[in-house]
Amino acid sequence: MKILFNPSRKSAAVDIPEWRSRLIQGFLLISLIILVARAVYLQALNKDFLQQQGQSRHLRVIEQNSQRGSIKDRNGEILAISAPVKSVWVDPQRVSATSEQIGQLADLLDMNKATVQERLSSDKRFVYLKRQLPPERANKIAELNIKGLYLKHEFYRYYPSRELAAHILGFTDVDGRGQEGVELAWQDVLTGEDGKRRVIKDRIGRVVEDVGQIRSPKSGQDVVLSIDSKIQYLAYRELARAVKEQHAKAGSIVALDVKTGEVLAMANYPAFNPNQRASMNNEVIRNRVLVDTFEPGSTLKPFAIAVALETGRVKANTLMETSGGMMRIGRAVIRDVRDKGNLTVSQVIQTSSNVGAAKIALLLPPKTFWEMLNRSGFGTETGIGFPGEASGQLRAYNKWRPIEQATMSYGHGISVSLMQLVRAYTLFATDGELKPITLLKRDTPAVGQKVISRETAQSVRKMLELAVQPEGTGSGARINGYRVAGKTGTAHKRLEKRKGYASDRYISSFVGFAPASDPRVIMAIMIDEPSDGRYYGGTVAAPVFSRVMEGTLRILNVPFDDSLGNLVTSPVPARLEDKG
């Protein structure tokens, strides 16, 4: 190579060898061929790569919420259903919105603008602005075109019957998980399986193309309850009326189908509206029928008499000495509200004599009496499957003192739930079987456990019919056209913080069934602390039974089994009321 340099000239000439020039040209040509080959490979032979790279920047997998199963009554009426809604959330790291957009967003969300601004400024990547908005309002929010704001498809649980069946159904949380009642007990059945879908979103997060389904959402199964909405409405209405009229603290009612063991109605008052969750508290959401226990009072007397009949200790016409209206056991005294003289065993039930019941109970070995109560379902859960169900308290017989065995005969010293009590009465409404109960619709008769003989069951049933006659304590439960059997109960409430009983606070109850000739429905009512001056079960609870049972039998088209026109509407004289 030769370089020429002339200082008098302003530029220099460089001679490049020919072989080097051709080398550079060859290198450039090879590079061009490689680039063209790579382009052909990517564009034609392996085009999926570029598509994957593009999609990775805009392709998203979104969750598709499954629809929760509905809850229906036995006739198919909807009690709980899930309605489609949308929730609004933001990624604060991507949000871009003007002050005007934020103001419009706050108005649509019914929120303070400063609160919205604070959430948009969060250092998190996911922040809910509002859950479960109606679709039409959510669509208006989407029209604001705020970058980093997204809508999520969800479901809102709605309860058309509101307070009527609230304690049965329970409710769900904002994420659709059962929290109480049937919603919690049958959570696994009602809950479906969420789906997944692949979509393409634009730069502000809106779905612009539906690519395809990965997994379809699977809806939850419907649950069909044994509840009859018409009977449920009637029960709730009459219970609420009684609690208000009696200025009581609370009340509960439950009705069973004798043949199938199905719960036809179950209500409590005060109640709550599951559609307005902000107003709930632990006091009103408690299903007292199943989770509260109380001393049942004289409604337990038929069980002491049943076991005495079963073991041959007494007969229906055996005469019991109750003269003086009192009996002493050690230092304790058991009293009747008046001196009722000598009574047959049937009259002990009819007039609700504490003294007579106590004397019958003391004829029994403690173990025999305890076994009768235990086999009747006291001290154990009913098996209905309701969350939080109470088992009550039935103390071991080897710890009973004579006074405790005596008072147990009229419902003191034992605690039961209203559901346990109404179920136990299936013994007397059937031929001595304790029926299994259910909240789900059952189309076939239930086979129960034999506890007492057919003869004993029918004998006690006749006694319970006497208790509802004009001379009995439960005449307020009579129904025109139907024979009724039942028992009143009135018990002093136990003191909460110390031993003993309150002198001026009572639990008033009634348990009965009809038609007595061929029982179809059993019903139990409990009124907690009536305070308008009346507190006996016959004047407080029995009339509620009469009104609800009459309507129930008509709804079920149960034939009359008694002549019409014999209903006594006047109140029962106070002297006939039981106090046990």
Side-chain angles (χ1 to χ4, degrees), residues 338-355:
R338 61 183 178 84
D339 182 359
K340 300 177 181 181
N342 296 333
L343 302 172
T344 64
V345 171
S346 294
Q347 290 173 325
V348 168
I349 289 290
Q350 183 180 24
T351 64
S352 198
S353 168
N354 291 342
V355 174

Side-chain angles (χ1 to χ4, degrees), residues 37 55 104 135 171 193 201 235 267 332 355 362 376 386 403 422 447-448 454 466 477 497 510 538 553 570:
Q55 289 174 351
Q104 293 174 332
F171 53 89
E193 183 179 349
K201 294 186 176 182
V355 174
L362 290 173
S376 299
F386 199 89
I403 184 60
V422 73
V447 178
R454 178 173 179 270
L466 290 176
K497 296 183 179 180
F510 184 87
L553 296 176
S570 59

Side-chain angles (χ1 to χ4, degrees), residues 56-264:
S56 67
R57 290 158 175 78
H58 298 282
L59 189 65
R60 297 290 184 269
V61 174
I62 60 173
E63 294 280 344
Q64 288 184 295
N65 290 348
S66 61
Q67 186 164 6
R68 190 174 178 86
S70 299
I71 302 176
K72 304 176 181 179
D73 83 338
R74 65 184 304 105
N75 299 312
E77 184 171 335
I78 296 293
L79 299 176
I81 192 170
S82 292
V85 292
K86 292 184 178 180
S87 292
V88 183
W89 67 278
V90 293
D91 178 353
Q93 306 302 314
R94 299 187 61 192
V95 166
S96 177
T98 65
S99 177
E100 181 182 359
Q101 285 177 314
I102 294 175
Q104 293 174 332
L105 177 62
D107 290 340
L108 288 170
L109 294 174
D110 293 328
M111 295 173 63
N112 184 278
K113 183 178 179 180
T115 302
V116 173
Q117 183 66 65
E118 181 182 353
R119 296 189 182 182
L120 295 180
S121 304
S122 171
D123 57 359
K124 299 178 180 179
R125 296 302 304 269
F126 184 99
V127 176
Y128 273 119
L129 293 182
K130 197 86 169 191
R131 301 291 300 272
Q132 300 182 340
L133 286 172
E136 57 272 14
R137 190 186 301 184
N139 292 336
K140 291 181 180 179
I141 292 174
E143 292 172 359
L144 296 177
N145 290 323
I146 297 175
K147 181 181 178 181
L149 181 146
Y150 309 95
L151 300 178
K152 183 180 179 183
H153 182 73
E154 294 183 322
F155 290 95
Y156 173 77
R157 199 65 164 169
Y158 177 65
Y159 303 91
S161 58
R162 296 182 295 181
E163 295 90 350
L164 295 184
H167 290 101
I168 302 172
L169 302 175
F171 53 89
T172 63
D173 63 13
V174 71
D175 292 314
R177 293 185 294 263
Q179 300 297 295
E180 293 285 345
V182 171
E183 295 279 28
L184 176 59
W186 280 272
Q187 166 72 7
D188 293 341
V189 176
L190 291 164
T191 302
E193 183 179 349
D194 290 346
K196 289 185 178 181
R197 194 166 191 85
R198 187 177 284 112
V199 299
I200 294 177
K201 294 186 176 182
D202 63 13
R203 64 183 182 83
I204 63 173
R206 295 176 303 186
V207 175
V208 296
E209 184 178 346
D210 192 342
V211 176
Q213 192 81 42
I214 299 176
R215 184 180 69 235
S216 299
K218 183 180 179 182
S219 298
Q221 299 178 43
D222 293 346
V223 171
V224 180
L225 301 182
S226 57
I227 300 299
D228 187 306
S229 292
K230 294 179 181 179
I231 300 174
Q232 179 71 22
Y233 167 76
L234 179 63
Y236 177 82
R237 184 190 70 187
E238 294 302 327
L239 178 69
R241 170 185 168 185
V243 171
K244 292 174 183 177
E245 287 180 349
Q246 302 296 331
H247 304 291
K249 179 180 179 180
S252 301
I253 184 171
V254 59
L256 300 181
D257 186 307
V258 174
K259 311 296 184 185
T260 64
E262 295 171 301
V263 178
L264 298 175

Side-chain angles (χ1 to χ4, degrees), residues 310-512:
E310 189 80 352
T311 57
R313 294 314 199 268
V314 297
K315 295 181 179 179
N317 59 0
T318 299
L319 202 62
M320 305 301 300
E321 173 62 55
T322 69
S323 296
M326 62 174 289
M327 68 177 291
R328 187 177 296 276
I329 302 176
R331 291 183 296 176
V333 178
I334 294 175
R335 301 178 186 276
D336 285 334
V337 293
R338 61 183 178 84
D339 182 359
K340 300 177 181 181
N342 296 333
L343 302 172
T344 64
V345 171
S346 294
Q347 290 173 325
V348 168
I349 289 290
Q350 183 180 24
T351 64
S352 198
S353 168
N354 291 342
V355 174
K359 288 190 172 184
I360 292 172
L362 290 173
L363 296 175
L364 304 169
K367 182 179 180 181
T368 302
F369 189 15
W370 181 90
E371 287 177 343
M372 171 63 182
L373 296 175
N374 179 255
R375 294 180 65 200
S376 299
F378 298 117
T380 58
E381 295 180 7
T382 63
I384 198 171
F386 199 89
E389 181 186 1
S391 59
Q393 185 178 36
L394 175 60
R395 295 176 64 245
Y397 63 86
N398 55 7
K399 296 181 179 180
W400 290 0
R401 295 176 297 161
I403 184 60
E404 291 170 324
Q405 180 169 336
T407 59
M408 194 85 69
S409 68
Y410 55 88
H412 282 261
I414 180 175
S415 66
V416 305
S417 71
L418 197 65
M419 185 63 81
Q420 285 177 322
L421 189 59
V422 73
R423 182 194 180 210
Y425 265 69
T426 60
L427 296 179
F428 312 126
T430 65
D431 289 334
E433 289 185 359
L434 182 68
K435 291 283 188 178
I437 58 175
T438 179
L439 263 173
L440 300 181
K441 185 177 180 181
R442 180 186 285 160
D443 296 321
T444 57
V447 178
Q449 177 187 358
K450 196 72 169 178
V451 176
I452 56 177
S453 67
R454 178 173 179 270
E455 293 73 24
T456 298
Q458 292 185 349
S459 181
V460 175
R461 189 189 306 175
K462 292 177 181 178
M463 296 179 193
L464 294 173
E465 274 200 81
L466 290 176
V468 181
Q469 295 304 308
E471 298 80 12
T473 60
S475 63
R478 297 174 70 198
I479 303 171
N480 208 10
Y482 295 99
R483 291 164 53 190
V484 174
K487 187 70 190 73
T488 56
T490 312
H492 289 276
K493 290 191 69 174
R494 293 187 67 89
L495 297 171
E496 296 178 0
K497 296 183 179 180
R498 63 181 191 275
K499 293 182 179 181
Y501 295 85
S503 61
D504 59 348
R505 291 187 292 141
Y506 299 88
I507 294 286
S508 305
S509 58
F510 184 87
V511 189

